[in-house]
Amino acid sequence: MNRFEWTSAGDLAAAARAGSGTVADAMLTQSGQPGTNAVILKAGGIDLLDLMKEGLLSPRRLINLRGIPELGRIVEEPGGALRIGSMVTLAQLAGHPLVRARYNALAEAAGQSASPQIRHVATIGGNLLQRPRCWYFRSLHHHCLRKGGEACFAFAGENQYHAVFGHNGCAIVHPSTAATALVAFNATAELVSAEGARRVVALETFFLTPDEDIARENDLKPGEILTAVVLPPSGPGVRSAHLRQGETDSFDWPIADVAAVLDMDTDGICRQASVVLGAAAPVPYRAKAAQSALAGKRISEDSARSAAQAAIAGAAPLSKNAYKLPVFEALVRRTILSAASHA
Ligand SMILES: Cc1cc2nc3c(=O)[nH]c(=O)nc-3n(C[C@H](O)[C@H](O)[C@H](O)COP(=O)(O)OP(=O)(O)OC[C@H]3O[C@@H](n4cnc5c(N)ncnc54)[C@H](O)[C@@H]3O)c2cc1C
Ligand code: SF4
């Protein structure tokens, strides 16, 4: 790992003045060799330090965001929305009483991600902005499309952990498990530019498909800081759950995960459903057909099974990952039933 400078920003203005670039830009090269002039924001440092140790990123300076108090808070807003500062750790998120009571799927997704040690350091902002796990992307010896090279190695290669939906040109799966739940809740991302301008975007559109930009997983602009994610107010009939399936019972990323958010009326009929699949596509994948299959129905084994079958219709597995489809089918069914039974 190269030597680098370290600056701790005490407030947002100081972090903005530092003039950071994005990791995606710093990793996008023609030669495969990382540039050494980048200034990069650091949250928990879990993914950032991995990339640096792997020789894929060689920044000149890191700007530590840890000392900015406003980024570390969870605050209920006057209308009932919940504002989660980007430096809130996964452990804080999983244990927060309001998150557990009103946004169970998010508490479950955050509380099951990685290991307890990592969850106490990793932040929600860094988690959403971590780079993909594709092993060709993580290899110094494979200069693939996402890093500015000319080929994707996954389609004809080892693609067992890759996407089964939406893999146009690049078959990564989005690496953030919390994103699956946040998109299911229709969360928004709040960003502040280097000039101090604030913009708010739906998280679902903040994440970019390979069609939109093959080198970036999200629309973070150079100099921008992700300050918060905001969850809309939760109604009394909203119930939710998140389930994940690992290849083994370990701390590794899931091979499939699902979040379901159901808005139920007092007779137990589902008014509206939000069903999102993680580890399925380059962005969290909204299973629209499953959502339609649940609307207006009583949640039961039968309706959950129909929705699960609808969720995987249209999937396009690669040569080594068709095994994911029955996993997703079972997981969607179980997640819907789990959400409906959650008080
Ligand atoms: C063994 C292992 C298992 C794991 N399992 C899972 C899992 O199951 N599910 C899962 O989702 N993740 C998993 N992870 C990944 C881990 O959760 C992420 O690496 C971590 O959440 C990243 O957060 P961080 O705060 O450390 O971010 P950092 O590494 O500090 O930052 C990540 C990226 O975000 C940028 N960034 C951070 N904060 C901001 C901000 N506020 N504004 C703008 N840019 C910012 C940084 O510049 C960098 O590009 C696992 C990791 C390991 C090592
Ligand atoms: S799937 Fe994407 S990240 Fe992986 S090798 Fe192909 S282009 Fe690169």
Side-chain angles (χ1 to χ4, degrees):
M1 186 157 65
N2 282 15
R3 293 166 68 89
F4 57 88
E5 298 163 10
W6 172 273
T7 306
S8 270
D11 55 36
L12 262 186
R17 273 198 308 276
S20 62
T22 68
V23 165
D25 284 333
M27 289 179 68
L28 192 61
T29 69
Q30 294 306 312
S31 62
Q33 294 303 313
T36 53
N37 205 28
V39 175
I40 300 292
L41 299 175
K42 179 216 153 265
I46 305 278
D47 192 41
L48 201 57
L49 272 291
D50 261 1
L51 292 167
M52 290 166 67
K53 284 185 279 184
E54 286 156 355
L56 293 163
L57 183 66
S58 196
R60 173 171 62 85
R61 179 184 294 174
L62 295 189
I63 310 298
N64 186 21
L65 299 175
R66 197 55 100 191
I68 307 179
E70 67 193 269
L71 299 183
R73 298 189 188 119
I74 301 180
V75 179
E76 187 180 7
E77 297 191 323
L82 198 65
R83 189 174 187 283
I84 300 166
S86 60
M87 290 298 288
V88 169
T89 65
L90 298 182
Q92 288 170 328
L93 200 49
H96 194 278
L98 279 183
V99 178
R100 291 167 71 97
R102 298 185 196 161
Y103 306 97
N104 176 55
L106 179 59
E108 290 183 332
Q112 299 286 318
S113 291
S115 65
Q117 293 91 336
I118 291 170
R119 291 196 291 272
H120 277 88
V121 176
T123 65
I124 185 63
N127 183 269
L128 295 172
L129 299 171
Q130 63 178 300
R131 300 234 63 197
R133 301 307 307 169
C134 170
W135 37 36
Y136 300 112
F137 178 81
R138 296 270 163 175
S139 154
L140 255 185
H141 308 292
H142 294 82
H143 189 47
C144 76
L145 281 172
R146 194 164 280 273
K147 292 184 286 188
E150 293 190 347
C152 170
F153 302 94
F155 287 94
E158 297 299 322
N159 52 40
Q160 44 273 58
Y161 302 126
H162 286 73
V164 291
F165 293 100
H167 41 56
N168 297 333
C170 165
I172 59 156
V173 292
H174 198 276
S176 167
T177 311
T180 312
L182 285 168
V183 168
F185 282 116
N186 296 315
T188 53
E190 183 192 279
L191 300 125
V192 171
S193 75
E195 294 74 35
R198 178 174 165 271
R199 71 176 174 121
V200 176
V201 284
L203 206 50
E204 194 161 359
T205 52
F206 178 65
F207 295 129
L208 300 178
T209 64
D211 286 336
E212 292 169 312
D213 191 337
I214 204 161
R216 290 173 182 78
E217 298 79 62
N218 54 66
D219 188 28
L220 184 75
K221 315 255 190 248
E224 259 186 342
I225 300 171
L226 173 63
T227 46
V229 286
V230 181
L231 288 158
S234 173
V238 173
R239 292 149 190 223
S240 68
H242 175 273
L243 292 178
R244 58 185 267 147
Q245 181 65 52
E247 187 177 34
T248 58
D249 192 11
S250 75
F251 295 131
D252 225 341
W253 282 260
I255 53 170
D257 70 282
V258 177
V261 180
L262 309 175
D263 183 8
M264 316 276 282
D265 70 13
T266 45
D267 294 327
I269 304 295
C270 176
R271 282 188 286 238
Q272 204 177 11
S274 179
V275 180
V276 177
L277 277 49
V283 295
Y285 175 78
R286 186 174 286 284
K288 291 184 180 157
Q291 296 178 166
S292 305
L294 293 173
K297 301 269 169 46
R298 188 172 297 284
I299 303 299
S300 64
E301 269 288 343
D302 282 349
S303 60
R305 181 170 290 109
S306 302
Q309 286 163 355
I312 59 165
L318 304 176
S319 56
K320 297 186 179 178
N321 68 6
Y323 75 91
K324 279 193 173 193
L325 300 189
V327 176
F328 271 119
E329 190 176 340
L331 215 51
V332 171
R333 180 178 55 77
R334 287 173 44 212
T335 309
I336 292 166
L337 293 173
S338 173
S341 68
H342 194 266

